[in-house]
Amino acid sequence: MSEPKAPTPAPGDTYKGWLFKWTNYIKGYQRRWFVLSNGLLSYYRTQAEMGHTCRGTINLATANIAVEDSCNFVISNGGTQTYHLKASSEVERQRWITALELAKAKAFRMQAESDDSGDDSTPPATGQGAGSRNSEVQSTLRTLGSKVEDLSTCNDLIAKHGSALQRSLSELEGVRLGGETSEKIRQVTERATLFRITSNAMINACRDFLALAQTHSKRWQKALQAEREQRVRLEETLEQLAKQHNHLERAFRGATVLPASQSNPAIDSKGPVSGKGDASDEDEENEFFDACEDVQEFITVPADPKYHRRSGSNVSGISSELGMDDGTTSLDEQSLASNPESPQSQELVPVRKRRTRIPDKPNYSLNLWSIMKNCIGKELSKIPMPVNFNEPLSMLQRLSEDLEYYELLDRAAKCQSSLEQMCYVAAFTVSSYSTTVHRTGKPFNPLLGETFELDRVQESGYRSLCEQVSHHPPAAAHHAISERGWTLRQEIALASKFRGKYLSIMPLGSIHCIFEKSTNHYTWKKVTTTVHNIIVGKLWIDQSGEIDVVNHKTGDRCHLKFAPYSYFSRDVARKVTGVVTDKDGKAHYVLSGTWDEKMEYSRVMQSSRRGENGADGRQKTVYQTLKAKELWRKTPLPEGAENMYYFSTLALTLNELEEGVAPTDSRRRPDQRLMEQGRWEEANAEKQRLEEKQRTVRREREREANRAASPSEEGKESADGALIEDAISDSPLKCGHQDNYKSMWFEQLVDPVTGEPTHIYKGGYWEAKEQGNWDSCPDIF
């Protein structure tokens, strides 16, 4: 059981830890994760739920804290909410009591200060009242501005008359007593009188300004506090409505799913099971699936023991095909089971020591609604966003993060069986999402022509190049090649829509992976990414959809399904399942796991159709499988990742300055660099400058294209060119057509495998880097 390190946390600090909470007489005390922050005590079933599901919250400002015995204590806010809690020891209970009392005192003090801000307070105005208050504020501001101008004028007059008085006094000292004496004295007297009058005016103006400011200070403070309280009440109301909605759904499903004959007569006769705890407490046995939830398409069961005998006749087909049997392991299971401690994973020693930290993320506040309310329904790429929503990496660098677990492709290249190789490739497709689970920051939109290289030949055996080949729609081309026998290329365009409560990001385009030794050519597409709680609540990310990984040489296929998160589902969150089949549709492997943690595989020994239909009206397939083995596991994030945008070890190195990179490389982008250094205001100004520069270059490029086009030239198209244009016009990507831009390192062709127009690396980049010749690169920064 984890315990807080600080025995007496300071007021206002976040305090977290495990406590036992009373649920009911059947379940008794259940272990829950509690978080004390900003005067609110919230609890969750597990630490993982902190990102999306709060089980209950109590405000300590009006709560009563009572100690029952050495380990038990009660928190109640007057009857509506009561938490009966138990700590693991008396010391642990005292830590919590101390933290709760400090948080309660601070919350009460803040509430008292807000209530005692003056008798001239007025409730928050709405409608005409709000307009009247705005008019009053504008009038006051104009008056204050006028007073400031008066002060400035008086200051100038004082300086002018003070200088004149000084001159007169100097002249008086040099005058001999005689006829001129009386005249000079008179001038000095006049100067002194003017200086005194001006000084009095200055003092009076300052007094008026101070009085006016003091008069309106309390009123403005009260108005600001009223707005804050109104926002808090609105957030609490929304949270309460969401809880009531969930309770109603659960009650409805409980009434429809649980037959009356199966209800507990003791409970029915005695009413509620427990008088302890609040009505919102959760129970694992009382959760139900969504009525529209997707039902699992297949079922796996342990294989019959006969399949574990070498002489099993039913295994001969699979054994001969894969060059293995159950009693032994070959690349088959030995290579499929990834072992992070194996010599294979330790044989690569980094040649260069790369950075392991970046500056911590600053804590800058921002009014999200004021920006988002005018963006509903628009393309995300066309919304001017401040860097407050970004992370200090570009989309090209995020695309290069797909290679985080390149070892999976290294192992796949060594496979003798295409079905085994398919398992590795499928695991690689899932692993590319593991870095996104906490990454709620938006990457920088690359400028047209921007590039990013990732040269890891000495350390990992591969090198990668990305280039932004289109800006409207935004599209990036990526090419990676490894000395260990594989090539990865892709062109991804993003279609995104802001829906009010969530943001959907739909990647378009195919990913290709080609293995040199076997010449197997795999393709797949990406699933939809959804960012929830855009307006209210904590941001969290989900991946949902289906992926078909296809081997175009052998016809093998792996169908992966990313299950969307459901509050009522009993399945593990972020679940991924898949089946590897050959060209005849025969299943050979079953994959399962989560896209943020690990993937496992199981060999299929036999399959059959289930007798009754599933909830969706289709028969389910039952697979008899061997014991599951681990195929891939996510590497833990570095220490302090929560303060560094939740970057992985690879992500921390992507924006590290390197010598010899192209002038268009993302590492040289100034706004991104300023954001990483914590200078966000300067980053916002630089971001606007770069975007305006890009618009100017684009308009100039369009003018040149229009001048170059002529009617005589429009008809001179080759057959190949016409074919490419037709394919591009039918494609959802249509990359480059709106920008009239010709890529530096990629050329657009029709893919011979998928028939889609795509940008393929044409070579020359690494040669230019070796020679240090970047003369042809555009000036985009």
Side-chain angles (χ1 to χ4, degrees), residues 98-285:
T98 302
L100 291 168
E101 292 292 351
L102 291 174
K104 177 183 177 180
K106 182 177 180 181
F108 182 81
R109 184 167 60 253
M110 293 177 62
Q111 186 177 15
E113 290 175 356
S114 64
D115 293 337
D116 192 24
S117 59
D119 297 334
D120 57 345
S121 62
T122 57
T126 58
Q128 296 180 355
S132 175
R133 189 175 65 188
N134 291 336
S135 176
E136 179 183 359
V137 171
Q138 294 296 330
S139 176
T140 303
L141 290 176
R142 286 193 295 269
T143 303
L144 290 175
S146 175
K147 293 296 182 182
V148 170
E149 292 179 359
D150 293 342
L151 290 175
S152 178
T153 302
C154 291
N155 180 68
D156 294 339
L157 291 174
I158 287 176
K160 177 181 178 181
H161 295 312
S163 299
L165 179 61
Q166 185 64 38
R167 288 195 304 270
S168 298
L169 290 174
S170 300
E171 293 173 359
L172 183 62
E173 292 177 355
V175 173
R176 298 178 181 177
L177 293 177
E180 298 179 354
T181 302
S182 58
E183 180 65 21
K184 294 297 181 181
I185 293 176
R186 185 181 63 82
Q187 291 181 1
V188 171
T189 303
E190 291 178 355
R191 299 292 185 188
T193 302
L194 288 174
F195 188 84
R196 178 175 54 82
I197 294 174
T198 306
S199 300
N200 289 337
M202 180 73 169
I203 294 173
N204 292 335
C206 290
R207 186 184 297 112
D208 293 341
F209 182 86
L210 181 61
L212 186 61
Q214 289 177 340
T215 301
H216 292 276
S217 175
K218 290 185 177 180
R219 184 179 303 174
W220 289 341
Q221 291 178 359
K222 192 64 179 179
L224 178 61
Q225 182 64 26
E227 293 293 341
R228 290 176 176 172
E229 293 174 353
Q230 187 177 23
R231 185 192 66 184
V232 172
R233 286 195 296 270
L234 178 60
E235 292 178 352
E236 293 176 347
T237 302
L238 288 175
E239 182 179 359
Q240 189 65 26
L241 288 174
K243 290 181 179 179
Q244 292 176 0
H245 177 72
N246 290 335
H247 288 295
L248 290 174
E249 286 188 344
R250 295 175 68 177
F252 173 76
R253 287 172 173 77
T256 56
V257 175
L258 186 64
S261 61
Q262 298 179 5
S263 60
N264 191 333
I267 297 176
D268 293 342
S269 60
K270 295 182 181 180
V273 174
S274 171
K276 286 187 176 184
D278 58 298
S280 66
D281 197 11
E282 75 291 342
D283 191 353
E284 288 86 351
E285 281 73 28

Side-chain angles (χ1 to χ4, degrees), residues 467-479:
E467 181 181 357
Q468 187 76 356
V469 296
S470 174
H471 190 64
H472 290 296
H478 181 206
H479 180 271

Side-chain angles (χ1 to χ4, degrees), residues 672-729:
Q672 187 173 298
R673 180 67 57 188
L674 289 169
M675 182 191 178
E676 182 185 282
Q677 296 171 353
R679 300 155 62 183
W680 285 17
E681 292 186 4
E682 298 174 58
N684 276 318
E686 190 65 23
K687 183 172 180 287
Q688 293 180 8
R689 182 190 69 81
L690 291 175
E691 291 173 349
E692 184 57 37
K693 179 179 179 180
Q694 181 172 236
R695 296 187 190 101
T696 303
V697 172
R698 182 185 177 188
R699 287 192 292 266
E700 181 62 28
R701 187 166 55 248
E702 289 175 348
R703 284 194 293 266
E704 292 179 358
N706 292 334
R707 287 195 297 266
S710 63
S712 60
E713 295 177 348
E714 290 179 356
K716 298 179 181 179
E717 290 186 351
S718 64
D720 291 340
L723 178 62
I724 294 176
E725 291 297 323
D726 291 341
I728 292 173
S729 63

Side-chain angles (χ1 to χ4, degrees), residues 423-437:
C423 291
Y424 276 120
V425 175
F428 177 78
T429 66
V430 176
S431 70
S432 63
Y433 297 99
S434 64
T435 61
T436 66
V437 60

Side-chain angles (χ1 to χ4, degrees), residues 53-55 246 250 282 287-288 290 565-569:
T53 306
C54 178
R55 301 291 176 173
N246 290 335
R250 295 175 68 177
E282 75 291 342
E287 291 186 353
F288 303 94
D290 289 325
Y565 175 80
S566 174
Y567 181 82
F568 302 101
S569 175

